[in-house]
Amino acid sequence: MKGPLFYSKILLFGEYGIIKDSKGLSIPYNFFKGALKTEDSSSEKAKRSNGALREFVGYLEMIQKNSPDLVTFDFETLKRDVNDGMYFDSSIPQGYGVGSSGALVAAIYDKYATDKITVLENLTREKLLKLKKIFGKMESFFHGKSSGLDPLNSYLSLPILINSQDNIESTSIPSQNTKGKGAVFLLDSGITGETAPMVQIFMEKMKQEGFRSMLKNQFIKHTDACVEDFVNGNVKSLFGNLKQLSHIVLDNFKPMIPKKFHQLWKQGIESNDYYLKLCGSGGGGYILGFTQDIDKAKSILKDYQLEVVYNF
């Protein structure tokens, strides 16, 4: 792939919680990437992508018309490129919770937004929030409702710490210990997930008093603690909070966990060999795993495809 590359992301902590102001931590994941291309546009995949971009252009025109102070685009060039067969050439799997639409949104903004906020300038909190708002509006085309975090992560290629909905900052995370036995990994569920139906289930559950109280007093409490522990490198405390979080998700977010993984999830909590959590909205795609002994986890989960994304 030539030209600017936009990477996938992993929301390590904060899925669902950030809708209700929990902390969150999102990191770029360079294993998957995408770029806008016009050459070799005759494949079926390229044609499908080009068709989606045509619809997206119409949607962006609507955004500019409704919010001209927020963002404007060079539509003349964008339309010409789309008519020339431009498509998004991407290795990022769709419906896997690693930000396929986020990378596309970042690529379009980067190339066609006029008066854009660039990665090179001093990124104040105001600028980050403005970018997040622009990206949220743009990405809503794909998801119905978007926080804008995935494209922001892809655009900046930096870890992002979400303190609350209107307080985000780029952050540094402890550098990896490549010889460490502890690891964060992705487990391939083998099923494509869809964000919109999962968010719909969550919103329905939010109507129940008990669910709201669990979210505030348990889910968000342990999510916030995990973020603090991870950023500060408190591994021992992190795994204690992860165990609680994994348990809370298994008890309260069952529809978001593919059925065939319920037992595997429980087994991890009971054995302490690994803890699983949702990666994105769930329902399929990747499941995130944390372990203090990656070799042991690999042998237990030998029937599944594991990708290590970070070593402790």
Side-chain angles (χ1 to χ4, degrees):
M1 289 179 195
K2 297 201 297 283
L5 294 177
F6 292 89
Y7 297 108
S8 53
K9 64 83 210 168
I10 294 173
L11 183 63
L12 284 181
F13 303 105
E15 71 292 343
Y16 293 109
I18 52 176
I19 299 175
K20 294 293 160 200
D21 254 4
S22 78
K23 286 185 184 292
L25 180 65
S26 186
I27 61 170
Y29 180 43
N30 301 358
F31 187 73
F32 297 122
K33 49 193 166 294
L36 292 166
K37 275 176 76 171
T38 33
E39 61 275 14
D40 315 323
S41 60
S42 57
S43 74
E44 271 315 302
K45 192 179 171 191
K47 284 178 182 164
R48 268 203 314 278
S49 172
N50 177 262
L53 278 178
R54 280 175 196 276
E55 287 180 38
F56 191 38
V57 171
Y59 178 78
L60 294 179
E61 286 182 306
M62 200 177 73
I63 291 180
Q64 180 170 310
K65 190 173 158 218
N66 295 338
S67 314
D69 296 343
L70 186 65
V71 65
T72 52
F73 298 93
D74 173 4
F75 281 114
E76 195 184 328
T77 312
L78 174 54
K79 286 178 177 175
R80 188 178 64 231
D81 289 349
V82 169
N83 286 334
D84 287 346
M86 182 175 75
Y87 63 102
F88 192 57
D89 181 22
S90 164
S91 67
I92 308 170
Q94 293 186 345
Y96 262 66
V98 284
S100 52
S101 55
L104 167 59
V105 165
I108 293 283
Y109 177 83
D110 180 64
K111 193 167 182 185
Y112 300 101
T114 52
D115 196 23
K116 68 181 180 193
I117 296 168
T118 72
V119 181
L120 301 172
E121 58 196 83
N122 177 19
L123 287 166
T124 59
R125 203 172 96 189
E126 283 66 34
K127 284 179 185 169
L128 281 174
L129 282 172
K130 185 174 182 188
L131 270 175
K132 180 174 175 284
K133 191 174 178 188
I134 291 167
F135 289 149
K137 279 210 187 311
M138 288 174 73
E139 201 186 28
S140 294
F141 172 76
F142 301 97
H143 287 325
K145 186 173 179 0
S146 160
S147 67
L149 274 171
D150 288 7
L152 185 63
N153 210 291
S154 191
Y155 186 62
L156 301 177
S157 250
L158 293 166
I160 293 169
L161 175 63
I162 302 116
N163 294 304
S164 63
Q165 282 183 350
D166 52 5
N167 181 355
I168 55 172
E169 56 188 301
S170 57
T171 187
S172 59
I173 55 176
S175 52
Q176 297 199 50
N177 171 9
T178 45
K179 293 186 172 62
K181 289 178 80 172
V184 183
F185 60 87
L186 291 174
L187 178 74
D188 189 344
S189 73
I191 311 161
T192 303
E194 290 223 7
T195 300
M198 293 297 129
V199 173
Q200 188 61 45
I201 292 170
F202 175 77
M203 290 309 191
E204 278 302 310
K205 281 177 167 285
M206 282 300 288
K207 292 174 182 171
Q208 303 160 17
E209 173 76 36
F211 187 83
R212 286 201 303 274
S213 134
M214 173 282 304
L215 197 79
K216 182 170 168 238
N217 301 321
Q218 296 174 42
F219 185 76
I220 288 178
K221 179 181 138 192
H222 289 295
T223 294
D224 288 359
C226 283
V227 171
E228 297 275 337
D229 288 342
F230 192 93
V231 171
N232 296 315
N234 301 331
V235 176
K236 192 166 182 253
S237 172
L238 171 67
F239 276 89
N241 281 306
L242 272 166
K243 180 171 184 169
Q244 302 282 353
L245 189 57
S246 184
H247 213 301
I248 292 162
V249 172
L250 183 61
D251 289 346
N252 299 281
F253 290 81
K254 272 221 170 69
M256 287 76 166
I257 304 169
K259 274 201 175 59
K260 64 175 185 179
F261 289 94
H262 289 185
Q263 191 47 43
L264 208 63
W265 202 287
K266 191 163 172 252
Q267 190 184 316
I269 297 166
E270 288 170 355
S271 66
N272 297 318
D273 291 330
Y274 58 87
Y275 302 128
L276 300 179
K277 66 180 288 298
L278 296 174
C279 179
S281 55
Y286 286 116
I287 291 167
L288 257 177
F290 293 78
T291 179
Q292 297 195 66
D293 185 343
I294 188 61
D295 294 329
K296 191 172 182 188
K298 274 181 174 168
S299 75
I300 296 166
L301 302 167
K302 62 181 182 303
D303 299 337
Y304 301 91
Q305 229 182 325
L306 258 60
E307 292 283 349
V308 172
V309 296
Y310 184 92
N311 282 98
F312 295 109

